[in-house]
């Protein structure tokens, strides 16, 4: 299985887990200039931007370790674009990471803070 297929399967598993937790999925693989966000969801009134990391094993390290400060900035840039485009600037936001591993799915809420212009 190639990395793209594995990643897509990870996103499906992450989406299923979030839906089971009561989240409403707003967008999948949302693309913005210089950014892509795997899942955008709503948790109550909070808009949640989710980075999904699929791992074949823990030998590669934890998925959250791959969400570097540079990746975080790109996600935050895309998040700002999404909020502006959809008139959601008044909403609280959160940035989560979902690690999908053979052992199961780990949801890390509030994995990193917003990094970008103050809004």
């Amino acid at each position: 299985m190639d990395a793209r297929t594995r990643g897509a399967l990870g996103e499906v598993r992450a989406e299923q887990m979030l839906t089971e937790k009561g989240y409403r999925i707003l967008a999948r693989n949302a693309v913005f200039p210089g950014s892509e966000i795997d899942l955008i969801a709503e948790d109550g009134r909070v808009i949640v931007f989710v980075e999904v990391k699929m791992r074949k094993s823990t030998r590669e390290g934890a998925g959250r370790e791959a969400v570097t400060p540079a990746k975080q900035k790109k996600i935050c840039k895309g998040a700002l674009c999404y909020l502006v485009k959809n008139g959601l600037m008044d909403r609280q936001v959160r940035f989560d990471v979902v690690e999908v591993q053979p052992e199961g799915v780990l949801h890390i809420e509030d994995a990193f803070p917003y990094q970008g212009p103050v809004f």
Side-chain angles (χ1 to χ4, degrees):
M1 176 183 318
D2 67 8
R4 182 176 294 249
T5 302
R6 192 170 49 253
L9 289 173
E11 289 171 9
V12 168
R13 288 185 64 197
E15 182 176 338
Q16 289 171 337
M17 182 269 308
L18 291 171
T19 301
E20 288 170 6
K21 289 177 85 171
Y23 289 56
R24 185 168 73 96
I25 303 302
L26 302 174
R28 295 164 192 84
N29 301 109
V31 178
F32 306 97
S35 177
E36 180 190 352
I37 300 174
D38 294 329
L39 295 170
I40 302 173
E42 195 171 38
D43 179 19
R45 294 234 350 114
V46 179
I47 305 298
V48 184
F49 299 92
V50 183
E51 178 68 10
V52 179
K53 289 299 178 188
M54 178 82 168
R55 291 288 185 250
K56 291 186 286 190
S57 73
T58 54
R59 284 192 323 255
E60 301 171 26
R64 72 184 83 96
E65 294 170 0
V67 187
T68 63
K71 177 71 173 172
Q72 292 172 19
K73 284 184 179 185
K74 288 181 180 182
I75 294 168
C76 290
K77 181 180 177 183
L80 183 57
C81 291
Y82 179 84
L83 294 169
V84 168
K85 179 181 176 184
N86 292 283
L88 298 170
M89 293 296 291
D90 61 332
R91 300 288 286 277
Q92 183 180 350
V93 300
R94 191 175 76 221
F95 299 91
D96 293 2
V97 173
V98 174
E99 293 180 357
V100 181
Q101 299 179 351
E103 304 83 38
V105 180
L106 175 63
H107 180 198
I108 305 163
E109 293 185 18
D110 209 12
F112 58 90
Y114 174 75
Q115 300 172 42
V118 177
F119 56 100

